[in-house]
Amino acid sequence: MRRIVWLGTVAILVTAAMRTVSGAQISVKEGQAPAESALWVSPNLTDRLAKWKRVEMPFNSAGLSEREKQLVGKLVEASQDLDEIYWRQSDPKALDLYKLLEGKTDEFSDQLRRLLIINGGRYDVLDENRPFVGTAPIPPGGGLYPPHLTREDIEQYVEEHPDQKEAIYNPTTVIRRNGLKLVAIPYHIEYKQMLEPAAKALREAADLADEPQFANFLRLRADALLDDDYYASDLAWMDLKNPKFDVIMAPYEVYLDGVLGVKGSYGAAVLVRNEEESRKLELYQKYVPDIQEALPVAAEDKPSKRGHLTPMEVMDAPYRGGDLRHGYQAVADNLPNDPRIHAAKGTKKLFFKNFMDARVNTVIIPLAKRLLKRNQASEVSGEGYMASTVLHEICHGLGPAYAHVNGKQVDIREAIGPAYSALEEAKADVTGMFGLQWLVDHGALPEDRLKEYYASYVGGIFRTVRYGTGEAHGRAEMMEFNFLSEQGAILRDASTGRYAVNFQRIPGALAKLTKELLEIEAAGDRRRAETLLAKYNKMPPALAAKLKTFTDIPVDVDPVFSFPDKVD
């Protein structure tokens, strides 16, 4: 069967074997005349979407005053503005296509729009970032760099123009070409059209806030959006005491930057405190300095955390935007990433309860029941996974604050480059489990729950590796799985195809990997990081074959909010 769907100037040709998008505003190859353009669209959108389960993430306004509801609405507005920026950072051509599909109600258009939203672009995060629209491979720098610009090109350029290095490596500049020159444009200039209304919405939210500290933070964050200086607002953010409402509203994470590994992408989340669950975190807070001092790395590479703030909040997120909305659905965050804030104040750990519940119940427990030895599968639990996640986020803020390269103090992200995101996720994972073992060994957590913690951690690995190595978390946990298997800490029963945790070997194996990852970050050893990740990069065929059979278990959730997505 063959049909044509007209989308303004763009026609989508659909057949049983092929789908293409052609028209004046879309092109496959750089330099191709617009009238000749034609974009292939994957014929298996239904199969791709089946990997994502739609889960309602409603805004529970019960108990909130009208003023507080208006406050949340303004925070959502600001988040929507940052979400628009993220599309431009991730895949501007996908944004064009998304807009062209707006208002179309046929199944194909609806599926394609949804898949574009899920991925924040034309590249499938569950298929090693291969395109589902067009045939061109994903540009490593998204919309943050000129096409085809490489890290080597930049390194050579700054060697010839050392006065421009600071601006080019700045985490809040986009790089553009001007003839043979590279030009660094500050985010607040490049994205002014979206940042000004976002800042306005934050100031209006501040006027509605009953908590003076939170209002002050919102005003400072509005200023930061307009000048790219987040230091003062980050300090104010760290000083919030058990806020009823909170937000993530900044270009913190560097997952989009596959060129230098330093450019932040905008993320946004509106957060409402879960008081009961937040109280449970008090146990972990007092031991953070002790875990830092126990890490298996040189003393000079684990600066003291005594006297530092370690605010932890369990929140429900009724709306998310930017890098928290598209792709990998985070259940927690450790922010800010600025090492100056780490040195002065520490970091804030945020846990998104509604997203964590959805992940555990929808993905992790069903996978564990199919893949783990039956008596160990029964150990996997929401509380066990929460414990490993808490320690993961704590350990993002532990270990070295800077790398030491050729006698100089260097930002770890800059030193490691594009491999940093995966390396840091792996460090947080394994150092977190090292810390969890430490808490059990020192009587802070019950020893009889240790098997639950390890089984839940491994159950979580089975979920994350399904993302593949094109995504930082998937790459990290693939490495962890292969390393632990090599060490005999994870075993496979060939007769049943099920896996088992070797509870005697896993503590030592994780301690060994913890030491390796911390030393790499301390030395800023890019080659050692890339070699380690490459060595353990491949999914074992037996595991890959098994995972392919679980078509009824989604890979992740596709959140459905009470508030609409807004893309202009």
Side-chain angles (χ1 to χ4, degrees):
M1 183 177 179
R2 185 173 180 270
R3 64 192 175 96
I4 295 178
V5 181
W6 288 96
L7 304 176
T9 60
V10 173
I12 299 179
L13 172 65
V14 185
T15 71
M18 175 185 72
R19 291 175 179 178
T20 63
V21 179
S22 63
Q25 299 190 33
I26 307 294
S27 63
V28 177
K29 296 179 182 178
E30 188 178 358
Q32 185 178 21
E36 301 171 358
S37 63
L39 285 184
W40 171 86
V41 178
S42 170
N44 63 343
L45 299 185
T46 300
D47 293 339
R48 291 176 187 268
L49 287 171
K51 297 176 183 178
W52 301 84
K53 182 175 181 179
R54 306 200 83 169
V55 176
E56 297 284 342
M57 300 289 184
F59 171 43
N60 182 6
S61 61
L64 299 184
S65 67
E66 285 304 313
R67 186 182 180 88
E68 288 173 329
K69 293 175 188 175
Q70 292 174 31
L71 165 65
V72 170
K74 289 297 177 182
L75 298 178
V76 169
E77 283 183 31
S79 299
Q80 291 168 332
D81 291 322
L82 297 196
D83 187 60
E84 291 189 53
I85 299 175
Y86 179 85
W87 281 87
R88 290 161 173 82
Q89 294 182 307
S90 174
D91 188 0
K93 289 184 179 179
L95 178 60
D96 292 338
L97 179 56
Y98 180 88
K99 291 177 183 177
L100 288 166
L101 293 164
E102 192 169 7
K104 303 301 174 182
T105 57
D106 62 284
E107 182 183 13
F108 172 60
S109 298
D110 181 67
Q111 287 185 328
L112 185 53
R113 271 174 63 87
R114 185 179 160 213
L115 204 57
L116 288 167
I117 292 173
I118 287 171
N119 291 279
R122 296 165 293 158
Y123 305 94
D124 194 335
V125 296
L126 301 183
D127 188 27
E128 305 292 342
N129 284 320
R130 295 183 182 94
F132 58 89
V133 176
T135 57
I138 186 171
L144 298 168
Y145 299 88
H148 314 303
L149 185 70
T150 67
R151 184 182 73 203
E152 290 73 21
D153 294 335
I154 294 175
E155 289 174 343
Q156 180 179 343
Y157 185 85
V158 298
E159 187 174 335
E160 296 168 356
H161 305 84
D163 59 311
Q164 297 181 39
K165 180 177 180 179
E166 183 177 353
I168 287 173
Y169 276 76
N170 189 300
T172 55
T173 62
V174 296
I175 308 303
R176 301 289 183 249
R177 287 192 188 275
N178 182 5
L180 297 177
K181 294 182 180 180
L182 295 180
V183 180
I185 304 173
Y187 281 5
H188 72 273
I189 294 174
E190 180 77 2
Y191 306 121
K192 181 179 179 180
Q193 181 182 351
M194 285 72 68
L195 289 170
E196 286 186 340
K200 181 175 181 289
L202 286 185
R203 293 192 179 104
E204 290 171 348
D207 293 339
L208 294 165
D210 293 327
E211 298 174 330
Q213 275 193 314
F214 185 52
N216 177 59
F217 159 66
L218 290 178
R219 294 186 179 102
L220 289 172
R221 183 50 47 101
D223 294 341
L225 291 177
L226 299 181
D227 65 11
D228 296 324
D229 184 358
Y230 290 85
Y231 186 75
S233 59
D234 278 343
L235 290 175
W237 194 40
M238 290 293 297
D239 286 335
L240 297 180
K241 306 294 184 185
N242 302 326
K244 183 174 184 178
F245 302 99
D246 206 344
V247 293
I248 297 172
M249 199 78 62
Y252 283 131
E253 304 292 6
V254 298
Y255 299 127
L256 285 184
D257 185 357
V259 178
L260 294 178
V262 300
K263 305 292 182 186
S265 56
Y266 285 89
V270 179
L271 306 171
V272 181
R273 187 175 184 83
N274 186 316
E275 189 62 47
E276 180 182 354
E277 292 295 329
S278 291
R279 281 195 296 269
K280 296 178 182 179
L281 298 178
E282 295 174 2
L283 168 78
Y284 298 96
Q285 290 176 298
K286 63 180 180 180
Y287 290 106
V288 171
D290 301 289
I291 295 172
Q292 172 79 332
E293 292 166 8
L295 296 180
V297 69
E300 61 267 24
D301 294 318
K302 45 184 179 182
S304 176
K305 297 296 179 181
R306 297 197 180 277
H308 286 207
L309 296 173
T310 311
M312 297 185 188
E313 303 170 7
V314 178
M315 314 291 278
D316 288 308
Y319 187 80
R320 305 206 300 196
D323 64 18
L324 284 161
R325 171 67 178 90
H326 308 284
Y328 185 96
Q329 293 299 301
V331 299
D333 227 331
N334 178 76
L335 296 167
N337 290 325
D338 187 341
R340 298 174 301 167
I341 302 295
H342 295 186
K345 293 281 189 178
T347 58
K348 176 183 289 199
K349 288 79 178 168
L350 296 159
F351 303 92
F352 314 123
K353 185 65 166 58
N354 51 342
F355 280 82
M356 184 170 292
D357 288 347
R359 176 185 290 184
V360 170
N361 297 327
T362 303
V363 185
I364 292 178
I365 289 178
L367 273 179
K369 288 179 178 178
R370 305 258 190 105
L371 277 171
L372 274 178
K373 187 178 175 183
R374 286 185 172 83
N375 65 330
Q376 292 189 3
S378 64
E379 297 276 4
V380 178
S381 70
E383 288 192 6
Y385 188 72
M386 179 68 167
S388 67
T389 302
V390 169
L391 268 295
H392 171 105
E393 297 306 330
I394 286 174
C395 288
H396 268 309
L398 300 187
Y402 293 92
H404 299 282
V405 182
N406 299 325
K408 296 181 180 179
Q409 183 174 278
V410 181
D411 186 286
I412 297 172
R413 291 173 294 184
E414 179 182 335
I416 300 297
Y420 169 78
S421 291
L423 184 79
E424 174 61 22
E425 291 304 328
K427 183 216 70 174
D429 276 345
V430 300
T431 306
M433 294 308 297
F434 176 91
L436 204 55
Q437 179 74 55
W438 187 93
L439 289 171
V440 170
D441 291 343
H442 289 78
L445 290 173
E447 186 175 2
D448 61 5
R449 299 195 69 178
L450 194 54
K451 290 183 177 180
E452 176 188 358
Y453 300 147
Y454 280 123
S456 298
Y457 160 66
V458 173
I461 287 179
F462 291 135
R463 168 211 171 258
T464 308
V465 297
R466 296 171 85 198
Y467 263 91
T469 55
E471 194 280 331
H473 301 81
R475 190 180 185 195
E477 297 203 16
M478 191 73 265
M479 182 271 288
E480 295 165 45
F481 177 86
N482 285 325
F483 183 92
L484 295 173
S485 297
E486 181 181 83
Q487 297 292 313
I490 297 177
L491 306 171
R492 179 177 178 271
D493 185 332
S495 64
T496 65
R498 288 179 176 265
Y499 294 84
V501 182
N502 185 324
F503 294 114
Q504 285 69 48
R505 290 195 177 185
I506 197 167
L510 285 168
K512 182 177 180 179
L513 186 53
T514 295
K515 185 175 187 295
E516 174 75 5
L517 295 173
L518 291 173
E519 287 180 350
I520 289 173
E521 290 201 349
D525 195 329
R526 181 182 297 177
R527 179 170 295 182
R528 189 172 166 189
E530 291 172 346
T531 300
L532 178 71
L533 290 166
K535 179 180 179 181
Y536 299 106
N537 205 38
K538 301 296 183 184
M539 183 179 292
L543 178 58
K546 197 79 172 175
L547 288 173
K548 281 183 179 179
T549 66
F550 302 150
T551 55
D552 58 322
I553 301 176
V555 176
D556 211 336
V557 300
D558 175 17
V560 180
F561 299 116
S562 301
F563 304 93
D565 290 306
K566 173 193 167 190
V567 181
D568 292 332

